Amino acid sequence: MDEARSQVRHEGLSRRGVLGGAAAITAVAVGTPAGAAVAPDLARRRERAARVTITRDDWGIPHVTGRTDADAVFGMMYAQAEDDFDRIERNYLVSLGRLAEAEGPTAIWQDLRQRLFVDPAELKRDFARSPAWMRELMRAWADGLNHYLATHPEVRPRVLTRFEPWMPLSFSEGSIGGDIERVPLTQLEAFYDGRAVPMTEEERGLLFREPQGSNGMAIAPSRTRDGRALLLINPHTSFFFRSEQHVTSGEGLNAYGAATWGQFFIYQGFNANTGWMHTSSGVDNVDEFAETIVTGADGTRFYRYGEALRRVVSKRITLSFRTEAGDLEKRTFITFATHHGPIVREADGKWIAFALMNKPVEALQQSFLRTKTRDYADFLKVAGFKANSSNNTLFASSKGEIAFLMPQFMPIRDDRFDYRKPVDGSDPATDWRGLHSLRSLPQAVNPRTGWAFNSNNWPWTAAGPDSPRAADYPRYFDQAGENPRGPQAIRVLTARRHFTPRTLIAAAYDPYLTAFARLVPGLVAAWDRLPAGERKARLAGPIGLLRGWDYRWGVRSAATSLAVFWGEALWAPLAQAARDAGMSMWDYLAERATDPQRLTALEAAADRLTLDFGSWQVPWGEINRFQRNDGAISQAFDDAKPSIPVPFTSGQWGSLASFGARRWPGTKRYYGTSGNSFVAVVEFGPRLRAWAITAGGASGHPESPHFNDQAARYARGDLRPVYFHPGELRGHIERSYHPGQ
């Protein structure tokens, strides 16, 4: 490029010196060390702590009570920090674009991507314009975390030694992957470093990976034995991604569920009257605009928009990163943007601007206020903020209402254009034209079928015959299509008329694998067509095992092991072909895979099983394991250490209960790191009842009895009763205390 887009500057100061007080030299002020809080701050925090009680039940789950919502937020954050401060800090290093200050220059491009959209100076202005009640919650958030650090001097943050009230605006929505993550880091680096960087196979979608997402089901009273609405909450995230908490206040807050570490709202959960389950959506509401750049004689850059030329906005972003010596260095980037959004890459001679939702004040309000809703009308009123961009919602209430809703942030666009690809930014017709009304979105509210669901698939089957129709909506309302969990959800939802909480749990763990029920017959037929000979004889045993299989997972099932290894061997070589054909992997494998490809993959699967385990007939539970060795965010797995067999498979194969596992360096067994993370079933009625399970346990500390105490129940799908009402806690209390005690 004709202009340097980045500069590096060495500060020559140790990390300790930078963190200790030279805050002005960092890209974002680090702040005062935890132990140096002035007396008024300490007095204020102690006064608030006295109004908060944290009760730990016999699973270590915190039940936080405060006089006000702000008091409850204070206690909520203190309890989260007790359980896993490291994950809180890392989440904010990511959301603030400061991860490189802890992890070094390898994280600089992730930080730059974040800072293209998240500007601390803007967030501070957003804080100032926020409603007074929300500013109070954000102050309580910061006080709760700072009080934890002040009362735990042995905790050494990597970077963030003091939290500021504006920071929650950088992390205002609790989903597993923000819209920003769709920007490929390699191409961002190529653009701002002025050199060619090839895309990774992961960025190109060619790797077999556990699908990110979730399952949600809402069942109306007409389809339950006791005439009460039921809700399945089944997020599929990385393990230990959220904290299970119960948070109440004297101002009407009474929310239970999973809060993403560092956030002061229950993201997946329920109160006494309503429940909400979010599933990653396949809507297209993040767009790329191909900008035509014109450079003037003086070097000024413009972009074409209709008949006019508009000036490209440039902005200086300075990031800090840790060196191997522990010093901090700075790197400054000159970044560019148009009215469509920041420039994130170049393609075919065009600069690509990236447009997404950026409404942190509204998003944080929507995220918190939904936890206090009383019925569907209340929930819909909160949805009016239109600040949920990435998630569908399954809703149920004590009034018997159920609903499937799509993200409320949906730009209106001209459906002539294919927004799945970069559109011509010089054509004003491609611009966003405001947001869709809530009424105009695909939805299923109190459907006649008596149920609604989503499994990260399209919305067109969300309520069976009462689903919205694709023909009635612009095509940008779905780019996900169907996946094998969709038919499985419909299968279990239509299998009975009168659900109970226990039968809903059983449905959530139904072992039938719809993908293999579709794929394996093609493999068997390929073998049947194979001429007699050595190859056919060698594969006769594996084919016989799969021919007699009922397509159900189980710890003793050798067919599950063989099928999973076969599916993985078939997947990788055909991923690019499926992408080029515009087909889902499952459709491509079922309809386009050739007989030789199917049989070669089976040979590879049998050979790998034999090499690693001594036989191609290995019970699935011998391979598929849950292991939690330490509290590290990225732990090391070890075949020699204790682990627990897990019967369910990856969601790729249609299992609603998902366990994303693979081999790791030095292992032969598969160890899971994602999938079912927090699972709950809720029954709404005059008196709410709920059951839940968390992967591993509530604590991130290996020395805690609650580090791994739920692991065996997790693997069995054995949800434990939730102590939602005060009387249910009696006899199950380990400790009750004020923050700081």
Side-chain angles (χ1 to χ4, degrees), residues 399-414:
K399 291 184 176 180
E401 304 157 310
I402 66 168
F404 161 78
L405 305 173
M406 295 198 76
Q408 295 85 48
F409 182 86
M410 281 301 300
I412 300 170
R413 284 153 286 180
D414 189 329

Side-chain angles (χ1 to χ4, degrees), residues 72-226:
V73 165
F74 176 95
M76 181 182 190
M77 299 318 303
Y78 183 93
Q80 282 188 28
E82 286 184 303
D83 288 336
D84 208 326
F85 176 80
D86 289 348
R87 280 184 165 79
I88 294 173
E89 184 185 25
R90 190 181 194 283
N91 281 348
Y92 279 91
L93 292 177
V94 170
S95 68
L96 293 168
R98 298 181 61 182
L99 188 61
E101 294 179 42
E103 299 190 356
T106 57
I108 202 80
W109 299 108
Q110 183 175 344
D111 284 353
L112 179 62
R113 179 176 65 182
Q114 195 74 10
R115 291 286 298 279
L116 287 175
F117 301 92
V118 177
D119 183 342
E122 286 289 335
L123 294 183
K124 291 173 185 178
R125 288 190 285 271
D126 286 337
F127 175 81
R129 72 176 179 85
S130 297
W133 67 266
M134 198 167 80
R135 291 199 304 272
E136 181 66 12
L137 296 187
M138 288 189 276
R139 292 189 186 101
W141 172 90
D143 278 352
L145 292 173
N146 291 331
H147 195 59
Y148 170 78
L149 290 177
T151 55
H152 293 78
E154 73 281 3
V155 174
R156 301 293 185 184
R158 303 170 75 191
V159 175
L160 299 176
T161 60
R162 184 171 176 82
F163 292 84
E164 302 292 341
W166 56 269
M167 290 180 176
L169 291 168
S170 72
F171 192 30
S172 55
E173 204 262 6
S175 187
I176 58 177
D179 296 332
I180 291 173
E181 293 183 13
R182 302 190 194 187
V183 175
L185 291 179
T186 57
Q187 300 314 290
L188 183 74
E189 179 179 357
F191 184 80
Y192 284 108
D193 218 21
R195 61 189 180 89
V197 182
M199 291 183 72
T200 66
E201 288 192 341
E202 182 174 8
E203 289 174 333
R204 293 162 59 203
L206 302 182
L207 296 182
F208 180 89
R209 55 175 294 184
E210 181 65 13
Q212 292 186 326
S214 308
N215 302 316
M217 295 180 180
I219 302 179
S222 63
R223 294 294 296 266
T224 66
R225 184 191 66 186
D226 299 323

Side-chain angles (χ1 to χ4, degrees), residues 252-281:
L253 180 64
N254 185 14
Y256 191 106
T260 306
W261 295 108
Q263 294 185 325
F264 62 78
F265 51 86
I266 298 296
Y267 186 66
Q268 313 273 27
F270 53 92
N271 59 39
N273 296 301
T274 64
W276 52 96
M277 168 61 211
H278 301 303
T279 62
S280 296
S281 180

Side-chain angles (χ1 to χ4, degrees), residues 639-671:
D639 284 344
K641 293 184 177 180
S643 61
I644 295 172
V646 175
F648 37 98
T649 70
S650 165
Q652 294 281 32
W653 310 122
S655 179
L656 295 175
S658 175
F659 191 72
R662 64 177 178 87
R663 286 185 299 178
W664 296 85
T667 77
K668 295 180 179 179
R669 284 175 157 176
Y670 279 26
Y671 294 98

